[in-house]
Amino acid sequence: MHPLCCISLESSAIGDNSPEPMTTLSRSCSVADLRSDANAFGWASSGSDSGSGSGSFAGVLYKWTNYGKGWRSRWFVLRNGILSYSKILRPESLTAVDDVRFIGDVSSGRLKRLNSCGNRRNKHQKNVGIVHLKILSFRESRSDSRRFYIFTATKTLHLRSSLKEERVAWIEALSSSRNLLTLRRLNDKLPIIPTDISLSTERLKQRLLEEGTSEVVIKDCEQIMLSEFSEIQGQVRLLCEERSNLLDTLRQLEAANIDTEASGVPESEYQLTQHAFSDIRRAKYSEWSTTESSDDVDKQDLEEASEDEETYFFDTKDHFPGVINQSDVMDEINSKSLQFERRKKLPHPVEKEKGVSLWSMIKDNVGKDLTRVCLPVYFNEPISSLQKCFEDLEYSYLLDRAYQHGKEGNSLQRLLNVAAFAVSGYASSEGRHCKPFNPLLGETYEADYPEKGVHFFSEKVSHHPTLIACHCEGRGWKFWGDSNIRTKFWGRSIQLDPVGVLTLEFDDGEVFQWSKVTTSIYNLILGKIYCDHHGLMHIHGNRELSCKLRFKEQSILERNPRQVHGFIEDTDGKKHATLFGKWDDSMYYMIGEGTSKTKDMVDENLLWKRTLPPANLTRYNLTSFAITLNELTPGLKEKIPPTDSRLRPDQRHLENGEYDMANAEKLRLETRQRMSRKLQESGWKPRWFEKDGENGTYKYTGGYWEKRDAQDWADCPNIFGEFSEDIVNTSKVGA
């Protein structure tokens, strides 16, 4: 008997509200089973019609609707790569269903009782929801042996069977159907090409004889033709052999993938935590469903996946290759020049992190000098403020694009991309609740990213007030600025007002300047901490066009937060383009003055789209780009100066999960940091930046990359070592 047909009947004691015992479908999955399943369903044969010859599964599952109506019974059908569900089927209509393998008890008596409970005897059956196997993933509940979840990019289905054996049967059915669908797609896309190509010259010889051509000439022509054909035939045979080897490799990979997916949890699928999945669900993907009735809309997730539970997803790009982010494409092309691959995740923690009670920390430090209180590293993320400045250049391809538009004489498109770049710097702040490390005076950071075409350098140039200066060079542009923050504490929130000007200069002489908007952090004492950016950003240009962007402040009743709206105007006040979007998601534009919403826009109007979060999120919620900032790539440690942030010990220990050592080093370095004012008062000056006038911006004086090439760091003090008077003396000499 085929494994899919192994049916056992089980019974158990049930209460008034418990579902009845059901006929259960179970099986064990292997590669051989899958291939036999493919033959049984007609999916493994080439050229088979996608809509015929495929097996189907059907049965009753309980779906969570909302807290008002709770669990409701639904009729689920898995057929041709599509899982659909509807209100309970009428018993008399079951006879019209062909080639369906039922999971559980689908007897007329049970279905009548379910229909009567729902008062649907006279209602016509219709599909309530449809989900494609291509873009769904599933996971069993660890707390309830009868529950499992089906995830898509837009929603989560919470399902429950009557018995745990039925849940196993549904999981196996979903897994086998998905694997068979993949096998069928592979065979449909790769038909066999025959290699037995032959050539006949009889008709050509007959035609030449009719024209009176001599036999000697005919034989010479025949030899020439056969010789040319023989060469072409050899080339065709070689191509067919290469194609055959490729098909064999693909089938081997497919078979290996099926072995991995036998448990229904492929290793190659993207793994996202609960926070990342909630972000992705806002996007619009190709999964669709018909309009659900009010009782079928999932108002709230009944059971969220905890941080230690893995949630699995399919890569949408495997099935929809047209959905590609431009920054990913450019990084992939440029990364060919790299001799190494940048890391995708942080190191695994050595120790288990201990939570910190903010209230107990405040209580223990009552009456003490707060300037001497060292906050534990629990409140930090493993990057410094110098490195965080470079995060603003994650989407530097927008400036490359702006430079090209300017070369082509399109000043409007140049400013549109500059405005999108100014907004994109805020996207990485979403979900980032930990503060970066405060750099020591004289601490530096370099970022050499040839795949992006940028060289970045930053330095802490003042301790009181705290000032950080940066300089970056890209493809046809330079970017520099300094930053300081004025803080206002409002009890339950804190307001951060940036002070400083950012400057962007293109090689053709066009310059743009702007300042950052206000950032507010809410729910410091109670509730979930979140940040919001609000205010007016004015991008001034030295030519005709300028841009104004309004970051809308979030309110309690705001249903569509994080909005950004603005326009581009000339010196006469005429509006040439309108911009709108969200600072944590995307920016669009339209020519002229308009009020269209983001959902009405198409890809042609898209300026910038945030990249998806990494697969392995931690509590720091670092982006894929931020994960690479503190990495010591091969050979880098020998090139960077001793003042580089990557060599800061407390930050490195935190990244490695060595929390006790990180706290000890942080206390030592903060004690050393308190001597920075003495350094500054003694005449210390920045090594790589110089202030442009009394009230001007710090500008890069040059020389760093030349020193780096020469490996000449003799005059750079070891600021992360033990403090001594030598550091003061060395700094004075360097100034």
Side-chain angles (χ1 to χ4, degrees):
M1 182 178 294
H2 194 276
L4 284 176
C5 299
C6 296
I7 300 176
S8 62
L9 184 64
E10 299 186 6
S11 61
S12 60
I14 49 176
D16 295 336
N17 297 325
S18 301
E20 297 181 2
M22 303 173 71
T23 305
T24 306
L25 176 68
S26 62
R27 76 183 197 112
S28 60
C29 183
S30 65
V31 175
D33 293 337
L34 292 173
R35 297 200 180 279
S36 62
D37 292 346
N39 294 328
F41 289 164
W43 286 4
S45 59
S46 60
S48 62
D49 181 65
S50 61
S52 62
S54 61
S56 304
F57 301 89
V60 176
L61 287 172
Y62 293 86
K63 177 180 174 294
W64 176 261
T65 56
N66 54 49
Y67 283 102
K69 296 188 177 181
W71 296 94
R72 290 302 176 101
S73 55
R74 296 289 181 264
W75 178 257
F76 279 78
V77 177
L78 177 60
R79 182 197 299 270
N80 295 334
I82 295 177
L83 177 68
S84 61
Y85 58 94
S86 60
K87 303 297 176 65
I88 292 299
L89 196 68
R90 290 182 300 174
E92 56 269 21
S93 61
L94 283 176
T95 57
V97 183
D98 299 325
D99 192 24
V100 174
R101 306 185 180 194
F102 297 113
I103 299 178
D105 181 11
V106 294
S107 62
S108 299
R110 181 170 187 251
L111 295 182
K112 284 181 179 179
R113 286 192 297 274
L114 292 174
N115 282 329
S116 62
C117 292
N119 247 348
R120 306 187 193 100
R121 292 191 181 187
N122 299 322
K123 291 187 178 180
H124 184 68
Q125 178 210 358
K126 64 178 181 179
N127 283 341
V128 171
I130 297 177
V131 182
H132 292 267
L133 285 181
K134 288 182 179 180
I135 59 173
L136 69 75
S137 59
F138 48 87
R139 178 178 64 81
E140 299 176 350
S141 172
R142 298 185 181 182
S143 59
D144 190 333
S145 61
R146 297 182 300 164
R147 286 192 200 172
F148 63 100
Y149 311 98
I150 293 180
F151 303 98
T152 71
T154 56
K155 64 181 177 181
T156 302
L157 298 181
H158 298 264
L159 305 176
R160 189 189 71 189
S161 60
S162 296
L163 297 174
K164 62 181 181 180
E165 291 81 3
E166 294 170 19
R167 185 184 75 171
V168 173
W170 274 108
I171 293 295
E172 292 292 344
L174 288 168
S175 178
S176 60
S177 298
R178 187 182 60 198
N179 292 329
L180 295 172
L181 182 66
T182 306
L183 284 175
R184 179 180 61 177
R185 185 171 63 252
L186 178 62
N187 287 328
D188 288 343
K189 289 183 177 180
L190 301 173
I192 302 301
I193 296 179
T195 59
D196 53 343
I197 304 176
S198 60
L199 175 69
S200 174
T201 60
E202 291 299 325
R203 294 178 60 190
L204 181 59
K205 290 167 61 178
Q206 186 65 29
R207 183 72 179 87
L208 293 175
L209 288 174
E210 292 176 357
E211 293 293 330
T213 308
S214 65
E215 293 186 1
V216 176
V217 176
I218 293 176
K219 288 184 178 180
D220 289 341
C221 293
E222 184 179 14
Q223 289 300 322
I224 293 173
M225 186 173 181
L226 291 176
S227 176
E228 294 290 334
F229 175 75
S230 177
E231 183 177 350
I232 295 175
Q233 190 177 32
Q235 296 176 1
V236 172
R237 186 177 294 108
L238 180 62
L239 290 174
C240 290
E241 290 177 358
E242 292 178 353
R243 182 179 182 278
S244 178
N245 293 334
L246 175 61
L247 290 178
D248 292 340
T249 303
L250 288 175
R251 291 191 178 97
Q252 292 172 7
L253 292 174
E254 192 69 29
N257 188 47
I258 290 175
D259 284 336
T260 305
E261 293 183 354
S263 63
V265 182
E267 293 179 357
S268 61
E269 293 171 349
Y270 284 100
Q271 304 175 20
L272 302 179
T273 60
Q274 168 189 344
H275 177 79
F277 180 66
S278 64
D279 287 342
I280 293 176
R281 285 194 297 181
R282 302 190 190 103
K284 294 182 179 179
Y285 283 60
S286 297
E287 190 274 333
W288 62 277
S289 65
T290 55
T291 303
E292 296 186 321
S293 58
S294 60
D295 66 318
D296 281 338
V297 179
D298 288 322
K299 302 292 184 182
Q300 183 175 350
D301 288 342
L302 180 65
E303 176 180 308
E304 298 291 349
S306 60
E307 292 183 358
D308 59 340
E309 292 181 349
E310 295 179 332
T311 307
Y312 300 90
F313 294 88
F314 293 107
D315 186 2
T316 310
K317 293 181 182 179
D318 291 342
H319 303 286
F320 305 100
V323 183
I324 300 177
N325 189 291
Q326 182 169 352
S327 63
D328 295 339
V329 175
M330 296 186 69
D331 289 350
E332 182 177 353
I333 294 174
N334 294 320
S335 63
K336 295 180 180 179
S337 61
L338 286 177
Q339 302 299 320
F340 58 89
E341 183 179 0
R342 300 194 186 275
R343 65 185 182 183
K344 301 292 191 302
K345 60 181 180 179
L346 295 177
H348 187 73
V350 176
E351 306 170 7
K352 185 176 181 181
E353 188 172 19
K354 299 178 181 178
V356 176
S357 172
L358 181 61
W359 172 247
S360 63
M361 187 185 64
I362 295 174
K363 181 182 64 175
D364 294 339
N365 290 281
V366 171
K368 295 183 180 180
D369 183 0
L370 293 181
T371 61
R372 299 183 180 275
V373 174
C374 179
L375 292 176
V377 293
Y378 178 83
F379 297 101
N380 289 93
E381 58 184 6
I383 61 174
S384 71
S385 296
L386 297 170
Q387 294 165 315
K388 200 169 182 65
C389 287
F390 185 48
E391 277 199 82
D392 287 354
L393 289 130
E394 177 178 358
Y395 303 96
S396 60
Y397 72 88
L398 292 168
L399 299 183
D400 299 338
R401 191 193 297 169
Y403 173 67
Q404 292 298 328
H405 283 305
K407 287 180 60 177
E408 298 167 1
N410 194 337
S411 57
L412 178 60
Q413 283 292 333
R414 167 175 282 189
L415 184 49
L416 283 171
N417 282 274
V418 170
F421 169 78
V423 175
S424 68
Y426 293 96
S428 62
S429 64
E430 168 64 18
R432 301 277 286 276
H433 303 144
C434 297
K435 63 183 290 289
F437 279 86
N438 184 23
L440 304 184
L441 185 64
E443 186 174 336
T444 63
Y445 175 72
E446 70 160 64
D448 184 14
Y449 278 62
E451 68 272 28
K452 289 181 173 289
V454 296
H455 286 74
F456 174 88
F457 179 73
S458 59
E459 180 184 11
K460 183 173 182 179
V461 296
S462 173
H463 178 65
H464 186 74
T466 300
L467 278 176
I468 294 174
C470 67
H471 179 87
C472 184
E473 297 182 5
R475 300 185 179 101
W477 51 268
K478 295 179 181 179
F479 175 82
W480 69 88
D482 56 28
S483 63
N484 183 20
I485 295 178
R486 295 175 181 170
T487 61
K488 296 178 182 178
F489 184 65
W490 301 104
R492 291 182 298 177
S493 64
I494 187 171
Q495 180 176 317
L496 310 176
D497 295 314
V499 179
V501 177
L502 303 177
T503 303
L504 173 66
E505 180 181 2
F506 292 98
D507 287 354
D508 56 13
E510 188 166 13
V511 179
F512 295 99
Q513 290 185 321
W514 67 91
S515 297
K516 292 207 163 199
V517 298
T518 299
T519 297
S520 295
I521 303 175
Y522 300 96
N523 294 338
L524 294 178
I525 306 300
L526 295 174
K528 183 179 180 181
I529 297 179
Y530 70 96
C531 72
D532 185 38
H533 309 288
H534 52 90
L536 179 65
M537 177 185 288
H538 194 174
I539 304 177
H540 302 272
N542 63 343
R543 296 181 182 175
E544 294 184 357
L545 299 179
S546 63
C547 178
K548 291 182 180 179
L549 295 171
R550 171 68 65 180
F551 288 68
K552 186 177 180 181
E553 186 173 4
Q554 183 174 345
S555 63
I556 299 177
L557 301 178
E558 181 64 54
R559 299 183 61 185
N560 197 13
R562 301 163 186 170
Q563 290 284 321
V564 180
H565 187 274
F567 52 83
I568 293 177
E569 61 181 4
D570 57 21
T571 53
D572 297 328
K574 179 182 178 181
K575 293 181 175 59
H576 292 262
T578 304
L579 299 99
F580 42 89
K582 293 185 175 184
W583 54 259
D584 67 329
D585 182 63
S586 58
M587 286 297 294
Y588 292 82
Y589 78 96
M590 63 182 303
I591 301 300
E593 187 174 1
T595 58
S596 296
K597 297 182 180 180
T598 304
K599 64 181 181 180
D600 300 326
M601 290 293 99
V602 294
D603 291 342
E604 287 76 8
N605 301 101
L606 178 66
L607 288 170
W608 159 75
K609 179 73 175 177
R610 178 191 179 187
T611 56
L612 293 179
N616 301 286
L617 281 175
T618 64
R619 75 175 183 90
Y620 307 116
N621 287 328
L622 298 181
T623 63
S624 299
F625 180 65
I627 287 174
T628 68
L629 300 183
N630 200 47
E631 180 184 13
L632 280 170
T633 55
L636 181 62
K637 188 175 182 179
E638 294 75 20
K639 298 178 181 179
I640 57 179
T643 56
D644 195 278
S645 295
R646 296 180 182 90
L647 303 179
R648 180 166 175 160
D650 54 350
Q651 184 173 307
R652 181 62 59 186
H653 286 313
L654 176 61
E655 182 184 278
N656 293 333
E658 301 165 330
Y659 305 111
D660 292 338
M661 296 178 65
N663 279 312
E665 284 293 329
K666 188 171 186 289
L667 178 61
R668 180 182 69 84
L669 290 178
E670 288 197 359
T671 303
R672 185 241 178 274
Q673 175 81 316
R674 295 185 187 101
M675 302 178 185
S676 297
R677 177 174 292 187
K678 181 180 178 181
L679 271 174
Q680 201 165 337
E681 292 173 352
S682 301
W684 183 91
K685 292 183 180 179
R687 186 170 301 275
W688 309 107
F689 288 86
E690 186 177 4
K691 200 167 187 178
D692 187 11
E694 184 177 352
N695 298 320
T697 303
Y698 278 91
K699 297 190 69 173
Y700 175 59
T701 57
Y704 175 83
W705 298 103
E706 292 76 12
K707 287 270 190 180
R708 184 184 190 271
D709 294 337
Q711 290 295 285
D712 182 13
W713 305 121
D715 56 348
C716 289
N718 181 14
I719 63 174
F720 303 127
E722 296 298 331
F723 179 77
S724 66
E725 293 297 328
D726 295 337
I727 297 180
V728 179
N729 298 332
T730 304
S731 301
K732 289 181 180 180
V733 172

